[in-house]
Amino acid sequence: MKIRRDILWIAAALLFSCSCRLSFAQAASAGDIENHWAKTDIETVVSLGIAGGYPDGFFKPEQMVTRAEFVKMLVKACWVGPVKENEQPAFVDVGREYWAYSCVEAADAIGILAEKNSGRLFEPERIITRAEVAGMAGRLMAGENLPDFPAAKDDRQNNWVATMKKEGIICGYPDRSLGEESGLTRAEACVIVLRIKNKLLTEQIDRERRWIASYQSNDGYMPLDDGRPDIIPYFGNLTEMAQLGQPVFNNGVKKYLEWSLSNLNYPDLFGLNGTMYDYRLEDGVLQSVYSYDSADSYAATLLSLAAGYYRATGDITFVRAHYGDLAAVSEVILKLQDDDGLIWAKPDQQVKYLMDNCECYRGLKDWSLLLEEMGFAERSRLYDSKAGLIKDGILNRFWDQDRACFAWALDQAGGKFLPQSGQAYPGFFAQIYPATYGVISPASEKAVLAYQKLNEELPGWADLELGDSFPWVILGYAAVIMDDLSNADRFLENCRSTYILTGRDYPWSTFEAAFYIRACDALQKKITATFD
């Protein structure tokens, strides 16, 4: 059995490496970028699928970039979508057979290009100048309506080189010149497109946070959208976690926590203190439905939210003021903990779910850290040990050696529910939870095997081919954690074009938007880690 397991691990590792990191390895060829000043930027660009190496295995960082090459990088980096093909190409020297035709057409369609000559020549093979790079980047960013950014796309109204310097997109040379008419190397292009992408990701995140905030009620609770009457605390908890990245939204999170903690059950219908029911809006009035989908995950995610609020604000006074309620919430998980360390979903449902147990692990770890901050060292160690029992149970009970994946649930007799082909939810989606919630390292054997299992079943997930009616945006967040940046980036681009830019209609929701924010934020951190 060990030999078979090792073979599966090696095979999965090779497949994962090939599908997610092959281009990264090509870019990092010995002697090409190893000691190059832009090494990390180049590696990130290649990992994102924005650019790649040459057939000879080298990246050629000092080679000059053509106009077509830069346009392709800009279009891919900034999620410029394809356009409907015109009867005639936009430029007479970029025909349909040209390798960058679709990118040039897409860039022209949204006004990135400024060629006004009567023959509509693009000169795709000419070396691009830094002034032209500034113009293309400026027009693209202006089109995104970035705050404090010139709104007009008319080049006569904007000094794009100066604007790009001010925005930190293009930097000058040691002699303080900007080299407007100088060319651009492939390495310099990588740095510039990452800086642009960073700006656009910031705006994506801020816009979704503002959209989420617009739905929060005056009382503090969080709907899924304006068309669904159900108020589900579990989704609200996860949604508010994404709001913690900006101080301006911290008061909204605090208000949500106050509403949640004021509506805890003492006790519920099963005699548990600290649980929370789902609610429903009836003629504008919030009514409890006196039931919950699960007790364990509702409690765990609320604890994680409270801990996140403290980390974001340092407001220990709030935590201390609500210590009794938070302690009752934490006790819900302990009361549902079985002898094997795993957590039952709720008193009347004797099932242990992988997703729930990963959330419970994270919730108890977060609560343990809060207890330590409040000076309750002994109780902190107790909850940390309880989280450790959950982790042991996940690794020992949920993991299936023969299938090399996690079971998505265990029944009362210990029987495993394993993923079944053709049913993405819950079996295959559950595979990402142990790594996403920090139960295991993303680089661990089990994490790689589980992620590979998801990709084998849903090879087109990054193109929203999910086998489910919901977008499951947590997949994008998980992909970033797994360092699968190319798929993560494509998935987020498709979420933006399919849901956000078309009005955020159902099945988009504040919950899905929250994981979109967290995925964009995680991706942004990967990008900015390369900045000096």
Side-chain angles (χ1 to χ4, degrees), residues 248-327:
V248 69
F249 299 115
N250 288 339
N251 282 336
V253 177
K254 182 179 181 179
K255 193 172 184 179
Y256 174 85
L257 282 167
E258 289 172 337
W259 176 81
S260 298
L261 295 171
S262 68
N263 282 281
L264 297 178
N265 299 309
Y266 285 102
D268 65 13
L269 295 176
F270 303 104
L272 282 178
N273 292 322
T275 60
M276 193 169 182
Y277 291 138
D278 290 335
Y279 285 78
R280 187 175 180 85
L281 279 168
E282 300 283 357
D283 297 324
V285 178
L286 201 62
Q287 306 278 358
S288 173
V289 300
Y290 297 100
S291 67
Y292 40 69
D293 183 67
S294 68
D296 57 348
S297 287
Y298 284 42
T301 51
L302 186 57
L303 292 174
S304 289
L305 178 61
Y309 173 77
Y310 168 71
R311 286 192 295 269
T313 65
D315 189 359
I316 196 66
T317 302
F318 175 85
V319 177
R320 289 186 183 279
H322 294 279
Y323 171 74
D325 287 327
L326 290 169

Side-chain angles (χ1 to χ4, degrees), residues 358-415:
C358 292
E359 291 165 337
C360 286
Y361 167 81
R362 182 78 270 140
L364 291 189
K365 291 288 285 188
D366 289 338
W367 177 236
S368 172
L369 292 174
L370 267 183
L371 289 169
E372 186 177 7
E373 288 292 326
M374 288 186 285
F376 301 135
E378 185 175 345
R379 290 198 62 78
S380 173
R381 288 191 292 272
L382 169 66
Y383 279 90
D384 188 66
S385 69
K386 294 295 185 180
L389 293 175
I390 298 174
K391 178 177 180 176
D392 292 342
I394 290 172
L395 298 181
N396 296 323
R397 298 292 310 285
F398 278 102
W399 183 254
D400 188 84
Q401 295 281 29
D402 292 335
R403 292 279 299 277
C405 66
F406 290 99
W408 60 268
L410 302 175
D411 63 21
Q412 195 168 7

Side-chain angles (χ1 to χ4, degrees), residues 130-370:
R130 289 163 68 86
E132 289 171 328
V133 165
M136 290 181 188
R139 287 185 288 273
L140 183 146
M141 295 169 74
E144 288 289 329
N145 299 314
L146 299 186
D148 302 322
F149 200 84
K153 293 185 180 182
D154 190 334
D155 290 351
R156 292 171 296 181
Q157 299 180 33
N158 294 303
N159 182 337
W160 290 123
V161 174
T163 300
M164 291 300 100
K165 182 183 178 182
K166 177 185 175 183
E167 293 291 325
I169 303 298
I170 294 178
C171 299
Y173 289 109
D175 64 0
R176 297 188 177 182
S177 70
L178 293 175
E180 289 96 329
E181 299 308 314
S182 299
L184 197 72
T185 67
R186 280 167 60 81
E188 289 171 332
C190 288
V191 173
I192 286 172
V193 295
L194 287 182
R195 289 173 180 167
I196 297 169
K197 188 172 184 66
N198 177 49
K199 293 278 188 182
L200 295 180
L201 282 172
T202 296
E203 183 58 20
Q204 285 294 306
I205 292 167
D206 289 348
R207 285 175 182 170
E208 285 307 287
R209 283 192 174 125
R210 292 194 295 270
W211 181 73
I212 288 173
S214 71
Y215 278 93
Q216 187 169 16
S217 73
N218 292 331
D219 293 330
Y221 62 82
M222 178 59 68
L224 286 165
D225 58 35
D226 61 354
R228 281 178 272 185
D230 299 313
I231 308 299
I232 303 173
Y234 169 76
F235 292 131
N237 297 341
L238 292 172
T239 298
E240 292 293 340
M241 286 182 198
Q243 299 294 81
L244 289 169
Q246 277 281 3
V248 69
F249 299 115
N250 288 339
N251 282 336
V253 177
K254 182 179 181 179
K255 193 172 184 179
Y256 174 85
L257 282 167
E258 289 172 337
W259 176 81
S260 298
L261 295 171
S262 68
N263 282 281
L264 297 178
N265 299 309
Y266 285 102
D268 65 13
L269 295 176
F270 303 104
L272 282 178
N273 292 322
T275 60
M276 193 169 182
Y277 291 138
D278 290 335
Y279 285 78
R280 187 175 180 85
L281 279 168
E282 300 283 357
D283 297 324
V285 178
L286 201 62
Q287 306 278 358
S288 173
V289 300
Y290 297 100
S291 67
Y292 40 69
D293 183 67
S294 68
D296 57 348
S297 287
Y298 284 42
T301 51
L302 186 57
L303 292 174
S304 289
L305 178 61
Y309 173 77
Y310 168 71
R311 286 192 295 269
T313 65
D315 189 359
I316 196 66
T317 302
F318 175 85
V319 177
R320 289 186 183 279
H322 294 279
Y323 171 74
D325 287 327
L326 290 169
V329 173
S330 69
E331 286 294 318
V332 171
I333 301 174
L334 299 196
K335 288 184 179 300
L336 293 171
Q337 192 164 33
D338 198 13
D339 292 340
D340 61 2
L342 296 172
I343 314 299
W344 301 110
K346 53 183 179 178
D348 67 335
Q349 188 175 359
Q350 297 292 284
V351 180
K352 301 164 184 172
Y353 294 106
L354 175 62
M355 293 177 175
D356 295 38
N357 272 271
C358 292
E359 291 165 337
C360 286
Y361 167 81
R362 182 78 270 140
L364 291 189
K365 291 288 285 188
D366 289 338
W367 177 236
S368 172
L369 292 174
L370 267 183

Side-chain angles (χ1 to χ4, degrees), residues 436-455:
T436 301
Y437 281 86
V439 179
I440 55 178
S441 165
S444 68
E445 174 184 350
K446 287 183 173 64
V448 172
L449 287 168
Y451 190 63
Q452 182 63 36
K453 189 69 70 174
L454 168 73
N455 280 277

Side-chain angles (χ1 to χ4, degrees), residues 513-526:
F515 270 110
Y516 180 83
I517 291 167
R518 294 175 71 178
C520 286
D521 183 65
L523 185 61
Q524 189 176 45
K525 285 181 170 63
K526 294 276 188 179

